[in-house]
Each structure stands twice: as C-alpha cells, then as structure tokens.
Amino acid sequence: MNRTDFPKGFFWGTATASYQIEGADLADGKGPSIWTTFSHTPGKIHRNETGDIACDHYHRYKQDVSLMANLGVNAYRFSISWPRLFPRGRGERNQKGFDFYARLIDLLLENGIEPFITLYHWDLPDALQNSIGGWESRDIAAYFGDYADAVFRSYGDKVRNWITLNEPFCSSHVSYLFGEHAPGFNDLTKSFLVAHNLLRANGEAVKRFRDAIEDGKIGLANVSQWVEPVSDSSEDARAAELVNQFFNDWFYTTPLHGEYPNDLSKILIDLGVMPDIHPGDMELISEPIDFWGINYYTRLIAKSDPKSEFGYTIVPGDLERTEMGWEIYPDGLQKFLERAYRKYGEKPLFVTENGMADKDIPEEGKIHDIRRERYLRDHFEASLKAMNAGVDLRGYFVWSLMDNFEWSHGYSKRFGIIYTDYENKQERIPKDSYYWYADFLKGE
Ligand code: FCB
C-alpha cells in the first residue's frame, strides 16, 4: 500500500491543538484559558506541568511549517485559541493574536498545505468560566457564535475547511463528570447540561458560517470508539448499545436528527439529570454540517452491569497497548468508519486524529519508533479498506505532528512523529515514523 492507492486530492495531514503546542500562554495580550487555571492548580496535572511553554510553537511556527513541508503533507489541522483572539472571551480583540494565525495560514498556503481549523479545542477563555460558568451557561452558544463569526470573517477568504468543536464528549463528560479535564467537576447533571450547550454552540457556529462564508465546509470532530459487547448475550448487546449512545451517538445522531438517543435519554430522565430542552434548541442543534471528523484511537468492550447507573461497565481487552494503556485495534477504525458512514448520514468523513503514545527514548539522537510506524501503516490500511467498502473518506490526520502537552498527563505521553526535547529548548527531532510517513507520501 502507498499513497497512490488513495484518491488524488486525498488530504494527508498532521494534527495539533493550541494549548498543547503554542506556549506563550499569556504573551502578546493573550488571556488565560480554563487550562491555564487548571494546570496551575496543584495536583491536577502529572508533575504539575503546564502549557505555559509547551512546544513554544507560537515562536517556532516557521520551523514547524517547514518540517511539515519536508514531510510532504498537504493538510494541517490546528486549533485557534479563543482567548488569544479575545482575551476575555468577548469584546476587546487582541490584534496580535489575529496576526499570529494570519501569518501561520499564509505560510501554510505558501507551502501547499491546506489549513483545517478547529475553532475550539478545549481552551475556553477563563473569563467566561468565571463570569457565566462557561459551558454551563446557555449564553455560551451565542458567545461562541460571535467568536466563530470573527474568525470566519478574518480568515474565511483563505481557509476552506473548518471544524467547530473538538470532541464535545471530552469538554462535557471528561471535564464535568470524570473530572480529569478543566474545569474538573464530577457532576452528572452539569455534564449533560454542558453537552447540550456544546451541541447548541456547534449549531450556532454552523449557522454563522453559512452567513459569513460562501465557499467552505464545516464539520464536527468527535472522539469515536469502536464498541463491542463482551459476549453474544442480549444483555451485553444492550450494554454495547448504551455505550455507543453515551460515547458516540449522543454527539453524532443528535446533530443529525435533532433528537437524543432514545435508551440513554430514558435513563437520564429516570435519574432526573436530563437537561432542559428549550423550544428551538433541537432545530439549532441539527443545523446541518458538511462532514464528520473522526478521532479514533481504540475500542471499548461493553458488559452488562445492572448495578451501575447506566447499566453497563467497560471491561479490559487483551490486545497490545500503547503508553496510554489504549488497545491497538486498527480493525476498529475500519469498522467505525463503515458504521459512521451508514449510521451518521452518509456524509464525507475525515480521520481528524489517529496515532499512539509510545516510550520514544532517543538513542544517539534518533528515535526508532517502530511500533508507531506499524500503527500508522495498519490504520492507513484500515482506512483504505473502509473506502473500498464504499465509505466517502476524504482525509487522514496523524495525531500528532510533535510531542506535546497531553492534558492531565502533562509531557509524559509522547504522541508526536517529531520528538520534542523539552530539556533542550524544545528542539524538534523527527522520529523514524516521520521518515516513514514522508516515504509513504512520496509514493515509495
Ligand atoms: C484526543 C484529543 C487530543 C489528544 C489526543 C491524544 O482526545 O483531541 O487533543 O489529547 O486525544
């Protein structure tokens, strides 16, 4: 298999997110985000690390773009930091922030690299958390719309591909229920309320997009789990259905049909935690998007558990694992793509994230990350198989361009195809997987 097996015009890229790579966290007028506050709260992040400096991409973006140009990708997915543009979330604009992304976009285009911009990859302006309670407030949807509109009007003449939110599952449940991400709560009611407002915000941004931009596409990127029941029993099949509804469908079929998944909604109503749905909410939520972004890493195995709140539990599988402890399961990508295409409206799909964390210990200045090479090759192959089965897949983005701030894991998990030497002024060292990807892209 090589590049020529894929259609011409297929987007091959790498992906990153603002807080994970930019650093310069309060520089040049940028306001703090909820991640600034969270990472500076002792005990929240591995070794109390922060994104203050991260990969220092804000200052080193030129080098990063040339690394991508040498790699031979034709696309780059990155996110814009809302508080870099609007330090307080609304009102006052930070021109230096706008200029930074303008320079980045121009440089990408000069190098034949198509920008795919994510508007929100979790770094909410802290001012909005403090003033209105962030995503818990219904007002956030309109504020996000205003921010999105300002971005569309600034860069919409050059950028054609847009993603509203990255993984609303994580901004709601991982942040408000599991408490692992900013702002760090353990509250089921809040968590589903936040999910509702995120879906409203997605709809609002899509609406504003149609008004602002004639020639462009906008989609939503979801964390996407391939779900399997642990046995053939009907109880485990129901458990798998509920796991699918919680992790996947809540954020896929709801924007598609304007209706929450049935079985899980019933459970939420019984528990008294279903968010209030106001008139017009579901129309806004189902504002049609152009494509789905699929962030795929692993599978989940579901087992019936009548004692648990939702009636299921997740059990471990026995496949080889990454440094995150996630099972490596390329077939799951193929199956997920096929399921997503059928079940989620036959829209164009992009793999907007896929990759693995490994140990990546440099040996004489080289990083022989053969497990990652194999991981990428197997997932490229899985993508191709899904396409051969009729899935309209348009692109694939490796997570990540370089090692970066992996949220609550700090810098301990390395996902990059480029090594970031944090001890040595954030020097970049391409790993073997980078050279493998470059050869693949050359068609060798
Ligand atoms: C995804 C996130 C991304 C990165 C990868 C490993 O859930 O979108 O920022 O953390 O996982």
Side-chain angles (χ1 to χ4, degrees):
M1 175 206 49
N2 64 40
R3 187 183 193 158
T4 53
D5 294 319
F6 289 79
K8 261 200 149 59
F10 191 85
F11 287 108
W12 288 104
T14 61
T16 63
S18 45
Y19 190 74
Q20 295 183 275
I21 65 163
E22 283 180 4
D25 191 37
L26 298 176
D28 286 351
K30 179 182 175 293
S33 75
I34 54 175
W35 273 94
T36 312
T37 304
F38 193 68
S39 66
H40 282 268
T41 308
K44 298 294 185 194
I45 313 289
H46 176 76
R47 291 166 53 180
N48 291 325
E49 289 167 341
T50 73
D52 290 2
I53 300 175
C55 306
D56 200 28
H57 169 78
Y58 185 74
H59 296 114
R60 290 168 163 266
Y61 72 96
K62 287 186 186 155
Q63 181 190 4
D64 293 333
V65 174
S66 42
L67 282 161
M68 282 188 267
N70 293 336
L71 176 61
V73 288
N74 60 357
Y76 174 46
R77 173 179 177 232
F78 63 97
S79 79
I80 287 188
S81 161
W82 183 350
R84 198 177 288 289
L85 300 192
F86 295 93
R88 304 197 50 77
R90 349 182 37 209
E92 175 215 345
R93 283 164 67 105
N94 179 32
Q95 195 51 44
K96 285 189 171 164
F98 277 91
D99 294 347
F100 168 68
Y101 295 110
R103 289 195 302 272
L104 174 62
I105 291 165
D106 285 344
L107 194 59
L108 289 166
L109 292 171
E110 277 164 34
N111 283 281
I113 301 170
E114 194 72 29
F116 280 65
I117 294 186
T118 309
L119 290 165
Y120 185 74
H121 202 128
W122 309 350
D123 42 359
L124 185 77
D126 202 38
L128 293 181
Q129 188 69 35
N130 298 331
S131 58
I132 60 165
W135 291 105
E136 280 177 65
S137 163
R138 288 183 59 85
D139 292 342
I140 195 78
Y143 293 2
F144 181 66
D146 293 342
Y147 153 67
D149 186 68
V151 179
F152 298 148
R153 292 185 193 278
S154 301
Y155 311 120
D157 55 336
K158 295 182 176 167
V159 177
R160 284 193 290 264
N161 294 287
W162 298 83
I163 290 160
T164 54
L165 305 172
N166 180 69
E167 301 183 354
F169 177 91
C170 295
S171 322
S172 52
H173 302 317
V174 181
S175 310
Y176 279 84
L177 179 58
F178 308 153
E180 287 163 26
H181 284 181
F185 292 102
N186 300 98
D187 185 319
L188 190 58
T189 309
K190 278 189 182 178
S191 194
F192 276 96
L193 169 64
V194 162
H196 187 64
N197 287 332
L198 282 156
L199 288 168
R200 289 176 53 242
N202 173 64
E204 186 68 41
V206 175
K207 234 168 84 180
R208 306 291 288 261
F209 183 77
R210 304 291 176 218
D211 292 339
I213 292 190
E214 276 170 23
D215 174 27
K217 302 280 183 218
I218 192 156
L220 170 64
N222 276 320
V223 61
S224 302
Q225 312 274 3
W226 174 250
V227 180
E228 296 177 351
V230 72
S231 81
D232 293 338
S233 74
S234 58
E235 290 80 10
D236 290 333
R238 174 166 164 82
E241 175 58 29
L242 286 167
V243 172
N244 255 317
Q245 292 188 10
F246 179 61
F247 284 90
N248 299 317
D249 298 352
W250 204 263
F251 302 95
Y252 275 113
T253 54
T254 310
L256 193 64
H257 303 306
E259 208 181 315
Y260 281 120
N262 220 337
D263 305 321
L264 187 56
S265 300
K266 282 196 192 129
I267 295 177
L268 296 189
I269 292 167
D270 286 348
L271 292 170
V273 300
M274 187 70 182
D276 281 342
I277 299 174
H278 293 211
D281 279 6
M282 289 326 238
E283 287 73 18
L284 181 62
I285 284 178
S286 54
E287 196 64 44
I289 59 168
D290 299 314
F291 64 85
W292 296 114
I294 291 180
N295 295 355
Y296 175 81
Y297 291 94
T298 192
R299 68 170 175 176
L300 294 177
I301 303 175
K303 184 176 172 15
S304 166
D305 179 3
K307 287 192 298 304
S308 79
E309 223 163 23
F310 291 169
Y312 66 76
T313 181
I314 308 285
V315 295
D318 53 11
L319 303 177
E320 182 188 343
R321 288 169 189 275
T322 71
E323 275 293 288
M324 293 295 279
W326 299 343
E327 282 185 300
I328 301 179
Y329 191 47
D331 287 355
L333 175 59
Q334 182 194 343
K335 294 190 230 184
F336 192 91
L337 289 170
E338 291 182 23
R339 176 181 190 274
Y341 188 62
R342 257 186 291 114
K343 187 158 177 174
Y344 306 143
E346 299 201 345
K347 290 182 188 293
L349 305 179
F350 290 86
V351 176
T352 35
E353 286 183 28
N354 178 239
M356 70 174 277
D358 213 348
K359 283 213 167 50
D360 296 338
I361 298 163
E363 290 168 45
E364 295 170 7
K366 299 214 173 352
I367 298 97
H368 303 301
D369 56 341
I370 38 170
R371 289 218 304 162
R372 184 174 289 104
E373 268 179 52
R374 198 179 39 173
Y375 183 101
L376 295 179
R377 191 197 57 221
D378 291 350
H379 286 80
F380 289 9
E381 226 154 49
S383 306
L384 189 59
K385 284 187 196 155
M387 291 169 80
N388 291 336
V391 172
D392 183 8
L393 184 69
R394 305 276 178 98
Y396 175 103
F397 295 80
V398 173
W399 184 273
S400 178
L401 173 64
M402 57 194 152
D403 300 335
N404 56 47
F405 179 78
E406 181 47 38
W407 309 113
S408 57
H409 300 279
Y411 297 99
S412 66
K413 305 293 178 211
R414 295 182 173 274
F415 273 91
I417 55 172
I418 296 172
Y419 184 90
T420 307
D421 190 351
Y422 302 109
E423 311 290 303
N424 187 18
K425 298 195 178 133
Q426 276 67 19
E427 193 198 334
R428 277 73 162 136
I429 308 170
K431 302 179 190 176
D432 284 2
S433 58
Y434 170 99
Y435 296 110
W436 175 84
Y437 193 16
D439 284 346
F440 170 85
L441 291 172
K442 279 185 211 124
E444 282 162 17

